Amino acid sequence: MIPAVLIVLLACLAALQVAGLQLRLQDASTNAARALSRGDPESAVAVQLDRAVAGARLTVVHRGDVVCAESAAEPPAGIASLSGITVRASGCARSGGL
């Protein structure tokens, strides 16, 4: 009985870790899109994204007058890192916007 409870508890902790990463990555992607729309250089935006979420990768996509920041990251060392999950998020903003 106890091993089953421990497995469920570890799964819940891993889910919380991934959910927290998803929220941070989404927020960082939205901020990156805003910065890109203002004309900030991609390299500077990538550094800001990495500061917000360590190890996050940035992909910039232009769609007409909209710029999108697509990012991806793996959970840091811990329970969730064993799952092999890659968390992805994106944010878009109109080019030249504030």
Side-chain angles (χ1 to χ4, degrees):
M1 176 80 169
I2 290 181
V5 170
L6 286 175
I7 289 172
V8 169
L9 180 61
L10 289 175
C12 289
L13 290 174
L16 282 174
Q17 188 177 25
V18 170
L21 177 62
Q22 176 67 46
L23 289 172
R24 289 192 329 271
L25 193 60
Q26 182 61 54
D27 189 42
S29 296
T30 303
N31 290 338
R34 286 188 196 124
L36 290 165
S37 74
R38 288 190 305 261
D40 291 0
E42 275 186 46
S43 58
V45 173
V47 168
Q48 291 173 349
L49 181 71
D50 188 59
R51 280 190 197 137
V53 179
R57 297 175 307 280
L58 174 68
T59 303
V60 178
V61 179
H62 295 274
R63 297 181 181 122
D65 66 344
V66 174
V67 62
C68 295
E70 297 177 353
S71 57
E74 284 78 30
I79 300 165
S81 66
L82 301 175
S83 66
I85 292 174
T86 299
V87 178
R88 298 180 191 285
S90 67
C92 297
R94 192 168 181 190
S95 296
L98 298 175

